[in-house]
Every structure is written in structure tokens, then in C-alpha cells.
Amino acid sequence: MVDNRYATALVIGSVLSLLATVYLSVAMGTQHWYQYHSQPASNDANNDANNGTFLEALQRDFEDVDESVYSVALFQLNGTLGLWWRCILIPKEQNPTMVTKCHTFTLAQQWESKFKHPGNINSGEDLLRTYLWKCQFLLPLVSVGLVFLAALIGVCACLCRSVTPTLFVGLLHLVAGLCSLATVCCFLMGVRLLHDISDLPEGMVSSLGWSLFLAVVSSPLHIMAAALFIWAARSHRQHYTRMTAYRVA
């Protein structure tokens, strides 16, 4: 039998785990981790044919897998960046309304090397940026995988009517929360390093997006769920040990 206190802790922990997994999954699938806001062109620039040609070239080249090419488009065209997506705002044909144009990072692109000067293979591989890029792709998948493994163990524990495996469930959630936090850190550090080696346009403003905040929130939720699971498992075990000793005595 499980005491009501432990049962309540397990239920609350399960709810927190579910919320954290949903938040992280939504964050992974959306592109609003980082946002760029470019200054609108002046009237003279609007009348300048060269400026219009440049913007059209940026829109066409945005599909290019070259980091230096799509980064310039992100900076100049109010882009948004995510773990799997990159998007820009472009005017709709024969309509002043702005629409979003997005492209995904393919699995192959997630494993590509980053260079000290984006787009210049001869500049040499930037190992730090390369591993940060790969970690921000792998760590959230590891986090979600650990939660599903913990859920499977929890179901088995319920079928066996045992609270003991809950300790392992809590440890898995703790690691999942740390992976979520590490994902955010790797992403922000990678963006910062990209800015340091890029020519940022004058007047551009960058900001954190709501997708990143969802990932940030998922980390403490996982850790709180882990604390509840570990507390329930340890407290129930100590209570069971004391009761057994009392009955033997």
C-alpha cells in the first residue's frame, strides 16, 4: 500500500512531468527561439533599385544551406531562428502584407561542421560552434527520450505495486531537466558566437523568443518532478523499513 502523501507526490510529479514534456516538445517544433528586428528602409532606399535587388537576392538565397547566406537574410529580413526552423518576413506578391517564409534544417545540416568564418571552408572548422550546434539538436531529444523511459518504468512500477523504481524515475527526470537547461545554454552560446564573427547590420535589434522561454520553463518543472519522485521513493522506503523493524521487534 502507498501512503496518501506519497500518492499525492507521485500524481503532482506526473503532472509536472507531462507539462514539462509538452513545453519542451512545443519549443523544439517552433522557430521562435531567437528573433531579429531590422530597421525599415528609408524612402531613398525604397527608390533605390540596388537595394530592391539586394533584398530580392536575400529572399532567393534564403533556401541556401550556407550559414553565411541564410544568416544575412535572418539579420536583414526580420528573421526568427529555432532548433529546426529558420524564417524570414517577405512581402506578399502585389500586396503590402508581410508573410513568413520558413525552411527547416535537415538532419544532414544538423551534423554539418561550422567554420571560423561562416561559409568559408578554408577558414578551418570551429569546433566549439560545431559541438554546440550538435548538442542543441541532440540534448532535447535525449531529454524527451528519458521522460518516456521514466514513464515506462513508472507504468511497470504501478503494475508491480512497488514504489521502489520511482527513485530511478526521479533520477531520469533530473537528468532530463539538466538536458533541457543545457540545450538553452548551448543555443544561446552558439548564437552569441555567430554574432561575434558576423557583420551585423546597423540598427538591428535581437531578442529572445517565446519558444526559448518554454524550454527554459520545462527544465525546473522536470527538476521539481524529479524531487517529488525521489522524495516519495526514499520516504516510502524508510517508512517501510521502520514498520518492518517494528513488527519484528
Side-chain angles (χ1 to χ4, degrees), residues 1-11 157-158 160-164 166 231-233 235-237 239-240:
M1 294 294 291
V2 180
D3 189 274
N4 288 336
R5 293 174 300 168
Y6 310 140
T8 302
L10 294 178
V11 171
C158 292
C160 298
R161 297 183 179 180
S162 174
V163 184
T164 303
T166 308
W231 174 83
S235 298
H236 182 269
R237 185 175 181 178
H239 177 72
Y240 180 79

Side-chain angles (χ1 to χ4, degrees), residues 148-166 168-169:
F148 277 105
L149 177 60
L152 181 60
I153 295 175
V155 171
C156 294
C158 292
L159 295 177
C160 298
R161 297 183 179 180
S162 174
V163 184
T164 303
T166 308
F168 189 54
V169 171

Side-chain angles (χ1 to χ4, degrees), residues 8-26 28 140 142-155 166 168-177 180 214-215 217-230:
T8 302
L10 294 178
V11 171
I12 296 176
S14 299
V15 173
L16 292 177
S17 173
L18 179 61
L19 288 175
T21 305
V22 171
Y23 288 165
L24 183 59
S25 299
V26 172
M28 289 171 55
V142 171
S143 179
V144 174
L146 290 175
V147 173
F148 277 105
L149 177 60
L152 181 60
I153 295 175
V155 171
T166 308
F168 189 54
V169 171
L171 293 177
L172 290 177
H173 276 84
L174 178 60
V175 177
S180 301
L214 283 182
V217 171
S218 70
S219 179
L221 290 179
H222 273 137
I223 294 176
M224 287 189 290
L228 289 172
F229 288 136
I230 293 174

Side-chain angles (χ1 to χ4, degrees), residues 23-35:
Y23 288 165
L24 183 59
S25 299
V26 172
M28 289 171 55
T30 52
Q31 71 273 14
H32 298 281
W33 282 63
Y34 210 83
Q35 303 174 144

Side-chain angles (χ1 to χ4, degrees), residues 7-78:
T8 302
L10 294 178
V11 171
I12 296 176
S14 299
V15 173
L16 292 177
S17 173
L18 179 61
L19 288 175
T21 305
V22 171
Y23 288 165
L24 183 59
S25 299
V26 172
M28 289 171 55
T30 52
Q31 71 273 14
H32 298 281
W33 282 63
Y34 210 83
Q35 303 174 144
Y36 298 97
H37 304 279
S38 304
Q39 293 293 330
S42 63
N43 292 332
D44 292 338
N46 286 330
N47 296 326
D48 189 352
N50 292 330
N51 182 73
T53 303
F54 174 68
L55 294 179
E56 290 178 0
L58 287 179
Q59 297 172 21
R60 291 194 305 268
D61 296 341
F62 185 61
E63 301 179 13
D64 199 315
V65 298
D66 192 316
E67 184 183 29
S68 63
V69 175
Y70 70 71
S71 294
V72 173
L74 287 174
F75 299 154
Q76 296 280 359
L77 301 177
N78 297 309

